């Protein structure tokens, strides 16, 4: 194996700051399954006498953007302009999600109201900063052609899109009929496509600029375990070929990420998370940060490595939280000066 530290040697905080400074001039669309995350937060000091379960003494409750809406929130917190496309129900939760998006500066023009389905809500009960229970309220039925037409109309009305993220949570927005139409729309306009897939539509996104599954999704889709580095490299190359993708980025949890491109190169990017409180939403942060850095001019390896750092930041916080420019810059300052953790990036042209 030929390992190289060339990228780490070229990393500078000034370059990262430049890329972030470019983002306010970029507009990115996020298409997928929007959700409302509802948190009950409290403390636990005793077990219920009624059943062997903890008693949470409620201290507060919060609502946050989840799913594709969390990806949009991450992008907006990094400075990009964001058009969010998805579906909500004709209910108070759908209105609350739309209001939250607007409060965070996200354009909700592509959020379509469908009175035949509820807004997707994930309710988490947190005690002593640990998740104890999650309740899901959702409808997984594929969206109708009428809803799809409204999403396409919102995209048509959005000028100069720098990229489109497909954020698939298997809730019905992205399915076997909608994906080809949306991908074709983007490709006809030469708009880069970045995909965060789920199993049901895994191989539907042909021609993606970046295809970002996690280890479990890639293993299930290909029917093979991804235990060793060689396993992951073979899987990445298979995905590149089957999807005709330009880049495949496989997230590996505590092992970091594996990036492969269509020129037969690969890079192992080690994890930099120092403390893991909650991995919820880390994948959303990765796809958002990769996209943001790429549209700002960063090469794919730099974009992926910065996204890896961003994921490490949000994993240190309980619940689903977005990356922020300030938090990312603070963490980058620790890694952008050699010698750094990033010098562990390993590459090969095998």
């Amino acid at each position: 194996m030929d390992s190289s530290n060339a990228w780490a040697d070229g990393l500078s905080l000034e370059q990262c700051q430049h890329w972030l400074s470019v983002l306010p001039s970029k507009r990115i669309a996020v298409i997928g399954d929007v959700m409302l995350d509802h948190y009950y937060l409290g403390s636990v000091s005793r077990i219920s006498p009624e059943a062997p379960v903890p008693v949470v003494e409620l201290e507060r409750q919060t609502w946050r953007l989840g799913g594709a809406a969390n990806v949009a929130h991450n992008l907006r917190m990094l400075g990009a302009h964001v058009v969010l496309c998805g579906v909500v129900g004709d209910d108070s939760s759908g209105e609350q999600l739309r209001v939250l998006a607007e409060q965070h500066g996200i354009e909700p023009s592509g959020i379509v109201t469908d009175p035949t389905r509820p807004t997707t809500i994930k309710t988490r009960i947190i005690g002593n900063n640990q998740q104890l229970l999650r309740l899901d309220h959702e409808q997984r039925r594929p969206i109708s052609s009428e809803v799809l037409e409204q999403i396409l109309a919102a995209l048509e009305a959005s000028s100069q899109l720098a990229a489109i993220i497909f954020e698939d949570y298997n809730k019905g927005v992205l399915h076997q009929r909608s994906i080809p139409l949306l991908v074709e729309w983007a490709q006809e306009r030469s708009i880069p496509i970045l995909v965060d897939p789920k199993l049901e539509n895994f191989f539907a996104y042909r021609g993606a600029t970046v295809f970002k599954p996690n280890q479990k999704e890639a293993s299930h889709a290909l029917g093979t375990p991804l235990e060793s580095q060689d396993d992951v490299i073979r899987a990445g190359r298979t995905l590149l070929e089957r999807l005709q993708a330009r880049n495949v980025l496989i997230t590996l949890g505590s092992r970091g990420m594996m990036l492969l491109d269509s020129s037969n190169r690969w890079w192992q990017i080690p994890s930099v998370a120092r403390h893991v409180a909650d991995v919820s939403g880390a994948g959303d942060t990765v796809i958002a940060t990769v996209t943001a850095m790429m549209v700002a001019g960063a090469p794919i390896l730099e974009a992926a490595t910065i996204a890896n750092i961003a994921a490490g930041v949000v994993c240190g916080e309980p619940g689903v939280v977005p990356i922020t420019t300030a938090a990312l810059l603070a963490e980058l300052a620790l890694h952008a000066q050699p010698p750094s953790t990033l010098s562990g990036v390993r590459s090969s042209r095998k």
Side-chain angles (χ1 to χ4, degrees):
M1 158 137 357
D2 175 29
S3 65
S4 171
N5 296 333
W7 180 81
D9 293 340
L11 175 66
S12 72
L13 186 59
E14 291 74 19
Q15 181 63 74
C16 297
Q17 289 172 324
H18 168 71
W19 288 325
L20 288 167
S21 72
V22 171
L23 281 176
S25 67
K26 303 297 182 180
R27 184 183 301 274
I28 300 167
V30 179
I31 306 173
D33 301 300
V34 300
M35 307 175 195
L36 186 64
D37 285 342
H38 185 194
Y39 290 86
Y40 290 104
L41 301 105
S43 59
V44 176
S45 60
R46 59 194 177 97
I47 300 298
S48 171
E50 303 167 354
V53 296
V55 175
V56 179
E57 296 183 12
L58 184 63
E59 296 170 353
R60 61 190 175 96
Q61 55 181 313
T62 64
W63 289 263
R64 302 175 188 172
L65 297 171
N70 184 47
V71 175
H73 192 191
N74 275 268
L75 285 167
R76 188 69 192 115
M77 295 300 285
L78 290 172
H81 288 278
V82 189
V83 179
L84 181 57
C85 301
V87 63
V88 296
D90 187 12
D91 48 34
S92 60
S93 297
E95 181 59 28
Q96 187 169 14
L97 191 150
R98 199 186 306 271
V99 168
L100 275 175
E102 292 176 337
Q103 288 176 346
H104 290 301
I106 298 167
E107 296 180 28
S109 56
I111 300 178
V112 179
T113 299
D114 182 350
T116 70
R117 65 195 301 150
T119 299
T120 299
I121 308 171
K122 292 182 181 289
T123 301
R124 296 174 175 90
I125 300 176
I126 310 293
N128 296 348
N129 292 323
Q130 293 186 329
Q131 184 176 153
L132 304 177
L133 182 68
R134 194 181 88 183
L135 305 173
D136 291 1
H137 182 55
E138 62 189 25
Q139 168 60 254
R140 294 173 177 264
R141 184 182 70 252
I143 59 171
S144 65
S145 57
E146 291 78 14
V147 171
L148 177 58
E149 288 173 4
Q150 291 182 66
I151 291 175
L152 284 168
L155 292 173
E156 287 283 1
S158 301
S159 60
Q160 297 180 328
L161 288 175
I164 296 177
I165 296 175
F166 288 81
E167 186 63 29
D168 194 349
Y169 275 88
N170 281 348
K171 308 299 182 189
V173 171
L174 298 169
H175 56 81
Q176 292 296 326
R177 295 190 304 278
S178 67
I179 293 170
L181 291 174
L182 291 164
V183 168
E184 181 182 14
W185 186 93
Q187 290 176 337
E188 286 177 350
R189 291 156 180 79
S190 300
I191 300 172
I193 297 169
L194 296 94
V195 180
D196 197 354
K198 282 292 181 288
L199 277 175
E200 195 168 305
N201 307 305
F202 199 85
F203 293 105
Y205 301 94
R206 292 182 61 84
T209 307
V210 178
F211 187 77
K212 187 212 75 65
N214 62 34
Q215 178 180 347
K216 181 179 179 181
E217 292 160 349
S219 176
H220 284 185
L222 295 173
T224 182
L226 304 186
E227 297 174 351
S228 69
Q229 185 181 73
D230 287 344
D231 291 340
V232 179
I233 293 170
R234 281 193 295 270
R237 287 174 172 164
T238 299
L239 293 176
L240 283 168
E241 181 179 356
R242 289 186 62 174
L243 291 163
Q244 294 298 295
R246 288 174 56 187
N247 304 279
V248 167
L249 179 63
I250 304 176
T251 57
L252 304 169
S254 62
R255 295 160 59 195
M257 305 178 182
M258 178 70 74
L259 172 66
L260 304 96
D261 70 9
S262 54
S263 297
N264 204 32
R265 296 179 298 176
W266 62 264
W267 298 269
Q268 176 74 47
I269 305 172
S271 173
V272 296
R274 290 173 291 172
H275 166 68
V276 177
D278 194 336
V279 298
S280 302
D284 297 345
T285 297
V286 169
I287 193 69
T289 308
V290 166
T291 306
M293 294 298 102
M294 286 186 67
V295 302
I300 180 61
L301 177 56
E302 284 85 337
T305 311
I306 294 170
N308 186 50
I309 292 173
V313 173
V314 301
C315 282
E317 301 291 333
V320 176
V321 297
I323 190 63
T324 66
T325 299
L328 180 57
L329 284 173
E331 193 69 15
L332 285 169
L334 301 177
H335 297 283
Q337 301 168 6
S340 74
T341 304
L342 296 185
S343 65
V345 174
R346 304 182 70 186
S347 67
S348 175
R349 290 179 179 269
K350 283 185 179 181

